[in-house]
Amino acid sequence: MLGSASPRVEDLPLVTGQGRFLDDLGNDALAVAFVRSPHAHARILAIDVDAALDVDGLAAVYTWEDLPGRAAQPIPVSLPHPGLTAPRTGFALARDEVNHLGEPVVMVVARDRYLAEDAAARIEVTYEPLPPVVGVDAARAAARTVHPDVPDNVAGVIHQQCGDVEEALARAPHVLEFDLTVERSLAAPLEGRGVLARPGPEDGRLVVHTSTQVAHAVRAVVAHLLELPQTAVDVVTPDVGGGFGLKGVRPWPEEVLVPLAARLLGRPVKWVEDRRENFIASAQERAQQQHVRVGFDDTGRVLGYEIDIWHDIGAYSQYGLVVSQNTSSHLLGPYAVPAKRATVTALYTNLVMVAPYRGAGRPEATFAVERMMDRVADHLGLDRAAVREVNLIPADRLPYRHGFRGQDGREVVYDSGDYARALRTLKELVGWDDFGCVRDRARAEGRTVGIGMAAYVENTGLGPYETASLQVHPSGRVTVATGITSQGQGHRTALAQVVAAELGVDLADIEVTTGDTRAVRFGVGTYASRGAVLAGNAVAHAARQVRDKAIRVAAEALEVDPVDLEVADGAVRVKGSPGTAVPLATVAVLTNPLRSAFDGEARRAAPFAHPLDEDVAPIADGSPPGLEAVGVHSPVRPTFAYGMHAVVVETDPATAEIRILRYCVVHDCGRVINPLIVEGQIHGGVAQGVGGALYERMAYDADGQLLNASFMDFLMPYASEVPAEIEIDHLESPSPLNPLGLKGAGEAGVIPSAAAIAAAIEDAEGLRIDAMPLSPTELFGLRQRRAAGETEPVRRGRA
């Protein structure tokens, strides 16, 4: 089954309207609405709730002063980091001050959402506006501060170095220095966030349904902040309409407040994020300023570089420095550069906090490194592919130690791959060497086209661990539960394929549960392209334990040597004699001998069903009853997937419209479980990459007000803007770091997109592209600046 393009088993209910998303649940629940800050920065002088108390159907109103115990404390930093020298987090409900537009100030609970919104509208909050810090420039200048006790607005600094950078730059025949910019964006999942909490009427248990990527983490932090034992909290993830990292934050204020209200009121309580809340109150990402200094020789070989980055992380550092760390540890690419230095400074601004959005700092790093490679090629007048080729890490040098540290704190060590082969494959796929003919034909037709490429390497399969429980039932069905959650990735199909491969059972007989803390005690979650790597290997480990036990039990029943048995087609059978077999369903019964026989299968294990050994216990080997096991996969370090993208664009000479003509991807995620799922991941990633390169940006004014907080104004690519065909070629270099040889694929499509598209536009126009996203208006402005002699020329006509 591994490597088979099996159709996804989870899709039928989703495409027929039978999915169960958060808002499909809890029709009997009280509803929550929030009063949120209309200011980016202000003191709270007074909150008057009296007028809201007259709303019929009101259940409760909560301000910070009403929060008990730990719920009133600042939300914990979920991912501490030694470089985070000035951590600052907000409260579940703002106390004294608000630091970004949309920060929750008051929670209103009522019979339904309409009444809750009506009551919220009657609450009067008196603010004293404070001058906001908006954008990287303002944060760096520090004329204003977000937090008065952080005078330079610096939350923390990450510094990485390998080799003698100053010496490398001093001896380099050529040195370039330039600046780049990447704007803020947001994940914008089809389904926003949402929480439903239901208190147990008798046992005091709390069941929390939440649209999250990290069910077990939410359980832990909710239990902590509500001062409950973790065993008293169950977190269940329903169908999730997209996450992209946004729903990996733990916890969101609402994930604390809604369960708290449910416990205080003794009623189920629900909140579902509306689209404006998603724009102004959900985490965003990307915003960076980058300064690159690179030294290289006449062949284009890079001798050393230093990259300084200033990263806008918003008002709070609840998620630590994960995105900044990811950027710093991915300023490497597939290149063997002997000396390199990276410094990422995380800056507070009066904007909503930053948390991972698909790619999580990697697209920004790739933009810096790949634009650097294009600059080197342009300076020397060399083919851009040739410059990359001369810098690639040879396959025989893998595993390759980079000297930088990843987000797990360990040294970055590339595990496997063949980067030169990937480059050759990409050039052939896109027709790189023959593109001059394409350009000439287009020019003869009065059209302008260009080509670009970008390479990346990404850490995937990040630890610390993942678990999976697997049970074969007497019916023959196999149930699997794992700590990861699903937001459309196809986990149920991929993990079922792993089970099918290990136990030889049919996919239709396998049921996979994800994101339910009741089904598996321990788990970590879905992020960082880790689902298949961690959960897949945990499932394989559990299945292999079950297989070994099944062979031991069947060997006794068949009176044969275990080495002569194999598991295939849902049975344990004698090798070379498939007719001599015991179905796994029967083995499951034999592992659980009972005194009562309630069906035909159970009678096989009942007393007097077969001759007994007078001196052997019914379960002789000391293993627990049942045909089940728990598997754990805990990697020493992450795997490293890689790939290269090439893009052909056409730019309109009159309107400056940018159209993608071809998009080619060469990708290596190790052993592929299901190529159909991997290609779907790449397609989705490319679509988001196109959005980040050409359309999506958060437009804040100087007061920190978001000017495009709706889909009328925030541009995302439609089907008409995404390439109709994405040409993909898979390579496979199995990882030596896990038994299945897997690497991750979830973020591969988005990571190099902006860099590749920028390179293609630059090639078409002969204009320096150093900021993304790039709109037609901005491209038109660059043309005007060129006409006025204000821009630096770029060599054109070279592949």
Side-chain angles (χ1 to χ4, degrees):
M1 288 300 298
L2 295 188
S4 169
S6 299
R8 290 167 34 128
V9 301
E10 52 265 87
D11 288 346
L12 184 60
L14 299 177
V15 299
T16 56
Q18 302 304 307
R20 298 285 287 169
F21 297 87
L22 192 285
D23 204 24
D24 293 315
L25 311 177
N27 293 329
D28 60 335
L30 298 171
V32 167
F34 287 96
V35 177
R36 297 183 182 273
S37 170
H39 302 282
H41 199 191
R43 289 191 185 91
I44 300 172
L45 301 181
I47 302 175
D48 185 351
V49 304
D50 289 349
L53 303 180
D54 296 331
V55 173
D56 183 37
L58 180 72
V61 177
Y62 299 96
T63 67
W64 174 83
E65 294 180 346
D66 301 308
L67 303 181
R70 294 174 186 161
Q73 297 175 359
I75 293 174
V77 175
S78 59
L79 295 166
H81 189 284
L84 183 61
T85 54
R88 299 294 180 272
T89 62
F91 297 87
L93 291 172
R95 185 193 75 174
D96 301 333
E97 186 172 296
V98 291
N99 284 304
H100 67 81
L101 176 70
E103 188 164 357
V105 178
V106 184
M107 176 172 66
V108 178
V109 187
R111 188 169 61 241
D112 59 44
R113 182 65 176 262
Y114 299 99
L115 295 173
E117 295 284 0
D118 288 346
R122 296 189 180 194
I123 294 173
E124 295 184 6
V125 182
T126 304
Y127 298 95
E128 178 190 346
L130 299 172
V133 178
V134 181
V136 174
D137 286 334
R140 291 178 65 183
R144 303 171 176 177
T145 61
V146 177
H147 305 288
D149 56 347
V150 187
D152 56 2
N153 291 317
V154 174
V157 178
I158 295 172
H159 183 79
Q160 308 239 35
Q161 182 164 342
C162 179
D164 190 334
V165 176
E166 294 302 333
E167 189 274 336
L169 292 174
R171 68 181 174 85
H174 308 275
V175 176
L176 290 176
E177 203 164 345
F178 55 94
D179 295 305
L180 302 167
T181 302
V182 180
E183 296 283 358
R184 255 189 185 242
S185 188
L186 84 164
L190 186 62
E191 177 204 37
R193 297 179 292 122
V195 188
L196 165 66
R198 193 178 295 275
E202 298 176 0
D203 58 7
R205 294 188 64 78
L206 186 64
V207 179
V208 180
H209 290 81
T210 179
S211 186
T212 185
Q213 298 172 218
V214 284
H216 288 80
V218 170
R219 178 186 65 180
V221 74
V222 167
H224 170 73
L225 293 177
L226 299 191
E227 301 178 56
L228 297 169
Q230 287 194 33
T231 53
V233 179
D234 296 321
V235 173
V236 183
T237 303
D239 290 327
V240 177
F244 311 120
L246 168 69
K247 296 177 182 178
V249 173
R250 58 274 209 188
W252 285 104
E254 298 86 356
E255 286 176 326
V256 177
L257 295 168
V258 171
L260 173 64
R263 279 183 55 80
L264 293 175
L265 298 172
R267 296 274 305 277
V269 177
K270 181 170 80 170
W271 168 76
V272 176
E273 182 180 60
D274 65 33
R275 187 53 60 181
R276 177 167 174 79
E277 287 178 305
N278 182 258
F279 270 100
I280 66 172
S282 283
Q284 300 165 4
E285 213 228 282
R286 304 282 195 252
Q288 293 185 0
Q289 288 181 2
Q290 304 173 335
H291 181 77
V292 180
R293 187 169 169 234
V294 57
F296 49 96
D297 65 18
D298 293 338
T299 69
R301 184 179 300 278
V302 176
L303 305 176
Y305 61 81
E306 61 175 350
I307 302 176
D308 293 307
I309 294 177
W310 295 268
H311 183 200
D312 169 2
I313 68 165
Y316 300 121
S317 51
Q318 179 185 332
Y319 212 80
L321 297 180
V322 168
V323 177
S324 301
Q325 176 73 45
N326 254 1
T327 294
S328 74
S329 61
H330 284 80
L331 290 168
L332 305 169
Y335 307 117
V337 178
K340 54 234 176 201
R341 180 166 59 224
T343 303
V344 182
T345 302
L347 296 166
Y348 287 120
T349 63
N350 286 116
L351 303 179
V352 69
M353 74 171 180
V354 157
Y357 163 42
R358 196 173 194 170
R362 301 173 185 87
E364 301 93 298
T366 301
F367 189 70
V369 172
E370 292 302 300
R371 294 276 65 210
M372 179 179 75
M373 289 296 171
D374 287 337
R375 286 284 188 119
V376 170
D378 177 69
H379 181 82
L380 297 174
L382 297 176
D383 185 302
R384 291 167 289 168
V387 167
R388 286 171 169 82
E389 183 176 16
V390 78
N391 285 288
L392 291 175
I393 300 167
D396 60 8
R397 291 185 64 185
L398 294 170
Y400 186 87
R401 293 184 174 274
H402 259 299
F404 279 26
R405 297 278 165 183
Q407 65 162 293
D408 60 350
R410 298 176 185 267
E411 184 181 1
V412 173
V413 182
Y414 292 174
D415 51 339
S416 64
D418 189 338
Y419 307 136
R421 180 188 173 200
L423 180 59
R424 292 193 301 270
T425 304
L426 182 71
K427 289 175 64 178
E428 183 177 348
L429 183 63
V430 76
W432 183 270
D433 292 335
D434 299 325
F435 189 74
C437 297
V438 176
R439 191 192 312 275
D440 291 342
R441 287 196 299 270
R443 187 179 293 119
E445 298 168 357
R447 298 164 50 232
T448 302
V449 297
I451 192 170
M453 69 163 53
Y456 71 96
V457 181
E458 62 156 332
N459 64 345
T460 70
L462 194 68
Y465 72 90
E466 201 55 75
T467 63
S469 65
L470 185 149
Q471 181 178 6
V472 179
H473 296 266
S475 64
R477 288 192 60 78
V478 180
T479 56
V480 181
T482 177
I484 64 170
T485 61
S486 297
Q487 304 88 45
Q489 295 95 332
H491 290 150
R492 292 184 176 90
T493 301
L495 297 182
Q497 286 182 251
V498 173
V499 175
E502 296 290 340
L503 297 182
V505 294
D506 192 272
L507 281 179
D509 293 327
I510 303 168
E511 180 182 341
V512 178
T513 298
T514 63
D516 189 337
T517 63
R518 301 169 303 182
V520 60
R521 289 180 59 199
F522 298 100
V524 179
T526 298
Y527 54 87
S529 301
R530 70 189 301 275
V533 182
L534 273 295
N537 281 283
V539 167
H541 183 48
R544 290 171 186 181
Q545 293 179 73
V546 165
R547 183 179 62 195
D548 291 345
K549 183 173 182 178
I551 287 176
R552 291 198 307 270
V553 173
E556 295 178 7
L558 295 172
E559 297 181 343
V560 299
D561 193 314
V563 299
D564 295 327
L565 296 178
E566 64 181 0
V567 178
D569 298 327
V572 183
R573 66 190 188 188
V574 175
K575 297 174 183 177
S577 180
T580 306
V582 181
L584 281 174
T586 301
V587 177
V589 172
L590 294 174
T591 62
N592 184 27
L594 302 172
R595 285 188 57 80
S596 56
F598 46 84
D599 61 16
E601 288 294 339
R603 280 193 288 274
R604 295 172 181 256
F608 307 106
H610 50 81
L612 296 177
D613 188 322
E614 296 291 339
D615 299 315
V616 177
I619 302 179
D621 59 3
S623 63
L627 191 54
E628 59 184 358
V630 173
V632 179
H633 180 62
S634 180
V636 173
R637 56 174 50 88
T639 59
F640 283 85
Y642 67 94
M644 300 185 185
H645 292 201
V647 186
V648 177
V649 303
E650 179 176 352
T651 57
D652 190 285
T655 66
E657 180 185 0
I658 302 159
R659 189 159 64 97
I660 296 175
L661 302 181
R662 291 185 67 193
Y663 203 109
C664 298
V665 175
V666 173
H667 177 253
D668 187 338
C669 62
R671 191 179 185 188
V672 175
I673 296 176
N674 186 318
L676 188 68
I677 288 176
V678 171
E679 290 189 8
Q681 289 279 24
I682 293 173
H683 289 177
V686 167
Q688 287 182 301
V690 169
L694 300 178
Y695 302 102
E696 300 172 6
R697 92 179 60 210
M698 309 309 295
Y700 284 96
D701 68 12
D703 295 320
Q705 295 295 318
L706 185 58
L707 305 180
N708 59 341
S710 76
F711 288 145
M712 289 290 290
D713 302 299
F714 178 81
L715 300 180
M716 291 194 298
Y718 295 170
S720 53
E721 280 72 52
V722 177
E725 179 185 5
I726 299 170
E727 303 166 61
I728 300 173
D729 201 327
H730 294 287
L731 305 180
E732 285 197 19
S733 58
S735 174
L737 301 180
N738 61 79
L740 295 180
L742 306 177
K743 302 180 183 181
E747 294 165 296
V750 73
I751 291 173
S753 296
I757 292 171
I761 297 170
E762 189 171 277
D763 182 55
E765 292 283 325
L767 288 166
R768 187 72 69 205
I769 307 300
D770 54 19
M772 296 302 262
L774 182 72
S775 69
T777 300
E778 287 158 327
L779 178 55
F780 191 82
L782 287 174
R783 288 175 176 176
Q784 290 181 313
R785 289 180 58 202
R786 176 173 58 190
E790 299 174 357
T791 61
E792 175 188 358
V794 179
R795 300 171 192 262
R796 302 169 66 186
R798 297 173 300 104

